[in-house]
């Protein structure tokens, strides 16, 4: 084997090893449960962590119909414009999270548990996997005035 | 500059760009009150490439899943998916739980009413066959599995007009989150190669041949 070929082989091996090590430094995408929703319409602006809604947890206990028919949740991540005022009035999450059916709203951090700064998104959805949807956070009450 | 140094500097550049990516996402987190239009992370654009590595771990506990904040104390008191899935039939996609089978086998008893645990769903056992133009098997839509979970008004008439031949459905619409894609590919089973046959389940009638395209029919050179 000529020294030139040897050198080429050595070079490619070095490039391969270093590229592999470089790839280890690339941040891994989130591996949350399929259908987990991060809702960050108002949370970040209010200084709270975004809320995370786990579909899997809820569908073990309730059929889709309960929330999506009876409680009026639209089939759209962040599309329901939920805020705490609606929840304490017994709408949306507040229909159950009232201390009677499920734990009540003083457990702030149980829902507001997302990594700050994440946009509203549907984890693992096909749309999310193919294209990155852009989200404009909804205006807060202060901004509207 | 010889080849070896070139290779090393190339790899270093790759490493640096990886870290640059990190800092960019931290900068986004620090934007605070004035939030511009944000771009969601494209979570796995390349999973359609079968040669790429699959994620090794599935059903991670909330603190390790990449969307929950491990610095939040309450994150650690949330239930772990695998604890909740014990005893449920498994599948190879989505949550890796076969939700419909779990319901059919009685392993799940989710409520149909918010507060009354004894209320039963209104189940409609009606299959709709949809012939498909392409050579993939025809689609059978089973109302039964859907009405176990949903109420009629969830789909009709906003998503599907309850009338024969009134709905135009395509895979592109579904992949972009329309029609069946309002749920499938988000909550109910995802659109992957493994799941094609769950809907495309009725073999083509005997003697069926794919229709010739216009380009073939009008080809002046044939």
């Amino acid at each position: 084997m000529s020294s030139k070929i040897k050198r080429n082989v050595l070079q490619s091996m070095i490039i391969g090893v270093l590229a592999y090590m470089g790839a280890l430094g690339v941040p891994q995408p989130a591996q949350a449960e399929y259908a987990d929703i991060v809702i960050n319409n108002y949370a970040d602006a209010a200084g709270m962590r975004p809320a995370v809604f786990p579909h899997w947890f809820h569908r073990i206990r309730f059929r889709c119909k309960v929330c999506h028919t009876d409680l009026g949740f639209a089939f759209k991540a962040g599309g329901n414009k939920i805020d705490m005022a609606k929840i304490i009035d017994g709408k949306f999450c507040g229909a159950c999270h009232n201390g009677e059916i499920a734990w009540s709203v003083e457990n702030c951090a149980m829902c507001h548990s997302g990594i700050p700064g994440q946009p509203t998104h549907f984890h693992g959805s096909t749309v999310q996997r193919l294209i990155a949807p852009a989200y404009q956070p909804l205006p807060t009450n202060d901004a509207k005035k | 500059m010889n080849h070896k140094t070139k290779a090393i500097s190339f790899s270093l550049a790759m490493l640096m760009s990886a870290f640059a990516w990190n800092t960019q996402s931290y900068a986004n987190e620090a934007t605070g009150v004035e939030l511009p239009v944000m771009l969601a992370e494209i979570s796995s654009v390349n999973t359609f490439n079968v040669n790429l590595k699959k994620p090794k771990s599935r059903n991670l506990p909330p603190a390790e899943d990449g969307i929950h904040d491990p610095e939040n104390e309450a994150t650690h008191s949330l239930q772990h998916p695998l604890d909740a899935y014990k005893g449920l039939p498994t599948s190879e996609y989505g949550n890796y739980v076969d939700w419909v089978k779990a319901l059919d086998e009685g392993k799940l008893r989710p409520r149909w009413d918010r507060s009354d645990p004894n209320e039963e769903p209104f189940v409609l056992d009606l299959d709709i066959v949809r012939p498909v133009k392409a050579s993939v098997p025809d689609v059978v839509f089973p109302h039964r599995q859907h009405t176990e979970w949903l109420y009629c008004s969830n789909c009709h008439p906003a998503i599907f007009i309850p009338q024969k031949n009134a709905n135009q459905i395509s895979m592109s619409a579904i992949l972009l989150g329309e029609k069946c894609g309002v749920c499938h590919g988000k909550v109910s089973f995802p659109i992957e190669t493994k799941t094609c046959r769950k809907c495309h389940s009725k073999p083509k009638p005997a003697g069926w041949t794919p229709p010739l395209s216009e380009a073939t029919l009008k080809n002046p050179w044939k």
Side-chain angles (χ1 to χ4, degrees), chain B residues 130 156 160-167:
Chain B
R130 288 186 63 91
H156 302 306
F160 299 106
I161 301 161
Q163 187 190 327
K164 204 180 175 187
N165 298 330
N167 301 285

Side-chain angles (χ1 to χ4, degrees), chain A residues 11 33-34 95 113 128, chain B residues 3 41 69 85 111 114 188:
Chain A
Q11 273 171 11
E33 272 308 282
Y34 181 65
S113 58
Q128 184 78 21
Chain B
H3 291 285
E41 176 193 23
D69 191 350
Y85 297 164
R111 285 186 190 178
R114 189 170 55 94
S188 28

